[in-house]
Amino acid sequence: NAGVTQTPKFQVLKTGQSMTLQCAQDMNHEYMSWYRQDPGMGLRLIHYSVGAGITDQGEVPNGYNVSRSTTEDFPLRLLSAAPSQTSVYFCASSYSNMINSPLHFGNGTRLTVT
Amino acid sequence: GENVEQHPSTLSVQEGDSAVIKCTYSDSASNYFPWYKQELGKRPQLIIDIRSNVGEKKDQRIAVTLNKTAKHFSLHITETQPEDSAVYFCAASSRSSNTGKLIFGQGTTLQVKP
């Protein structure tokens, strides 16, 4: 099993550009989520999904869109990048959103918006 | 929604000493409290978790305690070693089938001096 795979590992965007951060898991996990990590801010939840076709907002959803058309994939879209979106983005999944299923993180995507 | 506060933001100890990191949460419905360790440049990984029906849990040199009345929980690391140096995150969630939000604290950078 590859676990949680994020692509790309690094990305530089200009303000106003759009892009999609990819996340895929091969563990048949129902629950998937996106976090951003900024110094001193911890891990902040952007969006999450409890199953295919279901998504919901986290703590900091503005500027980001998500969709969950399959169990395996949970892409994060930036429609018009802003310097404030410079961050490290982590995708994470778990078997379910019940308390017996730990969260597994991908290796992260480092995004710089100039 | 849930809010998690974590202290201290940095902690420096001598090898062999104990380290304690404390977190408070706001949502009395939260029932799952994991701790994650993130080494430099790596992804966060689960080290221990506790559920609301348990007051304490141990795993070798690490332990977590939970006080539901006061809404706080702590990570205790005994006999610290240089490889314990990392960023530690606490989190809280009411991981029922309807929610599933896992909210993280701001992180604690632990430095263990040889």
Side-chain angles (χ1 to χ4, degrees), chain A residues 31 35 37 40-43 45 48 50 57 59 90 94 96-103 105-107, chain B residues 2 31-32 36 38 42-44 46 49 51 89 95-107:
Chain A
Y31 180 86
Y35 288 86
Q37 183 174 20
M41 305 290 286
L43 294 156
L45 182 64
Y48 67 100
V50 299
Q57 296 182 349
E59 303 170 272
F90 285 99
S94 67
S96 75
N97 60 343
M98 303 306 288
I99 61 174
N100 288 326
S101 52
L103 211 56
F105 283 84
N107 287 325
Chain B
E2 177 65 277
N31 56 9
Y32 176 63
Y36 285 79
Q38 185 181 30
K42 302 282 185 66
R43 59 187 170 182
L46 179 74
D49 57 11
R51 301 164 204 159
F89 293 98
R95 299 193 79 190
S96 71
S97 58
N98 293 324
T99 57
K101 288 185 182 181
L102 190 62
I103 304 300
F104 285 81
Q106 295 84 355

Side-chain angles (χ1 to χ4, degrees), chain A residues 41-104:
Chain A
M41 305 290 286
L43 294 156
R44 291 183 292 169
L45 182 64
I46 304 172
H47 286 285
Y48 67 100
S49 169
V50 299
I54 306 169
T55 63
D56 206 345
Q57 296 182 349
E59 303 170 272
V60 288
N62 292 342
Y64 307 95
N65 284 346
V66 292
S67 60
R68 184 91 180 272
S69 56
T70 67
T71 300
E72 294 79 19
D73 301 300
F74 191 44
L76 179 71
R77 298 184 186 85
L78 286 71
L79 297 180
S80 179
S84 61
Q85 293 178 306
T86 293
S87 186
V88 179
Y89 291 84
F90 285 99
C91 179
S93 72
S94 67
Y95 182 71
S96 75
N97 60 343
M98 303 306 288
I99 61 174
N100 288 326
S101 52
L103 211 56
H104 298 263

Side-chain angles (χ1 to χ4, degrees), chain B residues 20-33:
Chain B
V20 180
I21 302 170
K22 299 180 179 180
C23 290
T24 59
Y25 61 99
S26 61
D27 187 352
S28 56
S30 289
N31 56 9
Y32 176 63
F33 308 93

Side-chain angles (χ1 to χ4, degrees), chain A residues 2 9 33 104:
Chain A
K9 291 184 179 179
S33 54
H104 298 263

Side-chain angles (χ1 to χ4, degrees), chain B residues 9 13 15 17 25 29 43 58 71 89 96 110:
Chain B
S9 57
V13 300
E15 182 177 358
D17 287 349
Y25 61 99
R43 59 187 170 182
K58 285 185 178 180
K71 289 191 281 188
F89 293 98
S96 71
L110 173 64

